[in-house]
Amino acid sequence: MDIAGQADRKTWLSIEGKFGAPLTPRQPVAYIRELEKGGSLLFVCPAPRIPRLRDELAARTTEAGQSAPGQVWRSGPAGVEWLALAEDRRMGVTSWPSLLAELGNALPETDRPMTSDLHQLEGIVAKFEDDLLGWTPEELTSGGLGATFAKALHSTRVLCRIVAEELGTAHAPQWHTPSRSAVLPSSGLWDWYGQRFGTAWSGLAVCLEPTTYWGLEGCRSPLRLGFNVAAARLPLDRLYQVYRDMHALSDRRFHDLSGPRTAAAGPAPRSDGWWLLPFPVRPGLAGQEAADEMRATARTLVAPLLQALHLPPSAGTAGATAPSMPGDLPGGSGSGPRS
């Protein structure tokens, strides 16, 4: 264990710090056995890893008879989630940012050396907070809840940041929920997370829309990239050709990732209010390697748009003055995601 809180040589508190390393064979079962009755074990990890780590910890303690099957994690103070264990013990999980925030609040302003150390640790933690987790082929196509959904949400957030950096504009993803007045078959019922980049980019958008497409036949990735036609800056004929070029590049990338098993999918009909394509993700790739590949793919896919807008690759908005304008889906005759 990394930190042990002891009294009279008895361990009442154990704290284990995690970044990217998996659980060891002894974690958490052996650590719990070393605790006194009423003791606590706390794991600290990057926030994106919390859902999966919770599942792994609970499965191991249940198998060892240290927690009840289906035991629910309870939220506690300071951003810690706790699982009740046998013999009045408990096991908690929290994120590094939550822990560092508590430490920062507790530090006196005059403790400059400790403040400096805390800032250095925050810099290290920031790199891991942005880490991408690996996908299985099934997760990419079949939909998911819990840890899988959290992974999709985090991957979308990272993709929004990457595309924003490629365009040279603001990074501002958010939830876009249906309006209260929306009724079937209105496209306003589309619930999604992501970012629209406004008219400066002909309505380019990055999104995750878990309720409409992910898990259905033909889904190749939960991440989507495409255009809101209502925000088109380019003439629609030109924009549609850009979209078709991007779709062809996406198909080619899927073929590179999975070989002939992945068939090309036709672009959405031009009458749709949204022209979207699946964003290719390589199964099993994680961390900085996954982020680098995501950036390379994003750069390839947005190249036809930048060319049509007469902007250099990866310099995006050097000559653009329109700001990023995230917004909700427009009402009217547009449809949900396609292809």
Side-chain angles (χ1 to χ4, degrees), residues 26 71 81 89 123 173-174 185-186 197 215 225 232 241 262 292 300 339:
R26 298 184 70 246
Q71 184 75 28
E81 296 180 72
R89 298 183 178 102
Q174 60 179 302
S186 169
F197 293 95
L225 185 68
Q241 185 58 54
T262 301
D292 290 343
T300 297
S339 77

Side-chain angles (χ1 to χ4, degrees), residues 34-74:
E34 295 170 1
L35 289 174
E36 294 298 308
K37 294 181 181 179
S40 301
L41 170 62
L42 176 64
F43 283 85
V44 186
C45 70
R49 188 179 174 183
I50 286 180
R52 186 172 298 276
L53 184 60
R54 277 197 315 248
D55 292 345
E56 293 173 344
L57 293 171
R60 293 191 181 193
T61 56
T62 299
E63 184 179 0
Q66 294 173 329
S67 65
Q71 184 75 28
V72 178
W73 292 82
R74 305 290 183 183

Side-chain angles (χ1 to χ4, degrees), residues 199-261:
T199 54
W201 308 105
S202 281
L204 181 69
V206 173
C207 68
L208 163 73
E209 37 77 40
T211 61
T212 308
Y213 178 76
W214 191 19
L216 298 182
E217 184 178 358
C219 175
R220 296 186 286 176
S221 168
L223 309 185
R224 320 301 303 286
L225 185 68
F227 298 97
N228 170 20
V229 178
R233 172 182 171 184
L234 293 169
L236 289 187
D237 285 348
R238 183 73 181 102
L239 180 65
Y240 189 65
Q241 185 58 54
V242 168
Y243 167 72
R244 289 183 62 89
D245 291 344
M246 292 171 63
H247 210 295
L249 291 169
S250 174
D251 282 337
R252 188 180 308 164
R253 187 64 182 143
F254 273 111
H255 179 82
D256 292 341
L257 295 178
S258 57
R261 293 176 299 164

Side-chain angles (χ1 to χ4, degrees), residues 2-172:
D2 293 328
I3 298 176
Q6 296 183 334
D8 298 327
R9 298 184 179 180
K10 297 179 179 179
T11 301
W12 295 91
L13 172 65
S14 294
I15 301 177
E16 176 67 20
K18 287 289 185 184
F19 285 103
L23 293 174
T24 69
R26 298 184 70 246
Q27 294 171 345
V29 174
Y31 287 20
I32 293 170
R33 288 173 182 159
E34 295 170 1
L35 289 174
E36 294 298 308
K37 294 181 181 179
S40 301
L41 170 62
L42 176 64
F43 283 85
V44 186
C45 70
R49 188 179 174 183
I50 286 180
R52 186 172 298 276
L53 184 60
R54 277 197 315 248
D55 292 345
E56 293 173 344
L57 293 171
R60 293 191 181 193
T61 56
T62 299
E63 184 179 0
Q66 294 173 329
S67 65
Q71 184 75 28
V72 178
W73 292 82
R74 305 290 183 183
S75 297
V80 181
E81 296 180 72
W82 293 101
L83 185 73
L85 303 175
E87 299 182 315
D88 200 30
R89 298 183 178 102
R90 63 178 184 169
M91 177 172 59
V93 177
T94 191
S95 69
W96 284 106
S98 295
L99 175 62
L100 295 181
E102 290 297 315
L103 291 175
N105 292 336
L107 277 180
E109 295 182 2
T110 55
D111 193 345
R112 293 184 178 179
M114 184 62 74
T115 300
S116 177
D117 290 342
L118 192 61
H119 284 324
Q120 291 184 55
L121 185 55
E122 287 173 341
I124 296 172
V125 166
K127 296 180 180 179
F128 285 91
E129 286 298 307
D130 209 29
D131 251 10
L132 291 165
L133 301 175
W135 291 85
T136 67
E138 293 73 23
E139 286 175 323
L140 285 170
T141 59
S142 301
L145 302 173
T148 303
F149 179 80
K151 178 162 49 180
L153 191 63
H154 179 62
S155 297
T156 305
R157 185 177 299 115
V158 172
L159 180 58
C160 288
R161 175 181 58 77
I162 287 173
V163 172
E165 290 174 353
E166 290 299 310
L167 301 181
T169 190
H171 172 223

